[in-house]
Amino acid sequence: MAKYTGPVCRLCRREGAKLYLKGDRCYSDKCSFTGRSFAPGQHGAGQTRKKVSEYGIQLREKQKTRRIYGVLERQFRNYFEKAERQKGITGVNLLVMLERRLDNVVYRIGLAESRNQARQLVRHGLINVNGRRVDIPSFLVKADSVVAVREESKESPIMKKIAESLGHKQAPAWIELTAADMSGKVTRYPTREEIDIPIQEHLIVELYSR
């Protein structure tokens, strides 16, 4: 399945929920989802929602999760299969794995305004993990790893802008933020309660268990 390249706000309307794909803009009055939460479609056709089947509900939950984290279909299936093989609750294992993606960790630290921007920073080689450059957004960050902006990248205009606001941001409990160094340490993996996305992961497990 090809990567979606259209307007990201359309995805929020399709899922009927804010996916926070534009970072800070999604929390402001400029968010286009506000007042237009109906599904997209010509001539207002998307404003009437049909009754959704149980399978449809499960599918939408999976699609919503994929879009929040920016993961392709095959990648997502691979994550689920790995989560299924691990000890513990499969749905929670899946979400923890998605949270460990490097692009997500960069976003959680506050080094990017959105996960999409975080992916771009990683791909362009602006991020180090434990002192080594990593340019793979799907790289899974381990506990006790330090994720930071490369020293030579701190002078770029985009990183200077982020640095100005970094001191006012608060990282989640499982990340230790050092704003002065533009870095964050993953002290442990997050618990389910600390993953603040509007997802019912058991529906995804039910979908793949069919």
Side-chain angles (χ1 to χ4, degrees), residues 7-59:
V8 294
C9 293
R10 189 180 177 89
L11 297 180
C12 296
R13 291 172 57 199
R14 178 65 186 88
E15 301 303 335
K18 279 192 178 187
L19 304 183
Y20 300 97
L21 302 177
K22 282 194 170 182
D24 294 343
R25 184 186 178 92
C26 299
Y27 295 92
S28 71
D29 296 335
K30 295 181 180 180
C31 177
S32 62
F33 180 79
T34 305
R36 299 183 68 196
S37 57
F38 51 85
Q42 282 189 324
H43 312 303
Q47 296 191 47
T48 55
R49 290 185 178 272
K50 298 179 181 179
K51 185 177 180 180
V52 184
S53 66
E54 182 181 356
Y55 171 78
I57 293 172
Q58 295 166 351
L59 180 62

Side-chain angles (χ1 to χ4, degrees), residues 54-55 58 80 201-210:
E54 182 181 356
Y55 171 78
Q58 295 166 351
F80 179 83
E201 64 274 11
H202 69 277
L203 294 176
I204 301 172
V205 177
E206 291 171 6
L207 175 67
Y208 282 127
S209 299
R210 283 177 170 267

Side-chain angles (χ1 to χ4, degrees), residues 8 36 59 76 116 118 135 171 177 190-191:
V8 294
R36 299 183 68 196
L59 180 62
F76 194 84
N116 184 51
D135 57 6
L177 170 64
T191 63

Side-chain angles (χ1 to χ4, degrees), residues 181-195:
D181 292 337
M182 299 190 74
S183 68
K185 181 178 181 180
V186 177
T187 57
R188 56 178 174 80
Y189 297 150
T191 63
R192 178 61 186 95
E193 293 71 27
E194 292 170 330
I195 302 175

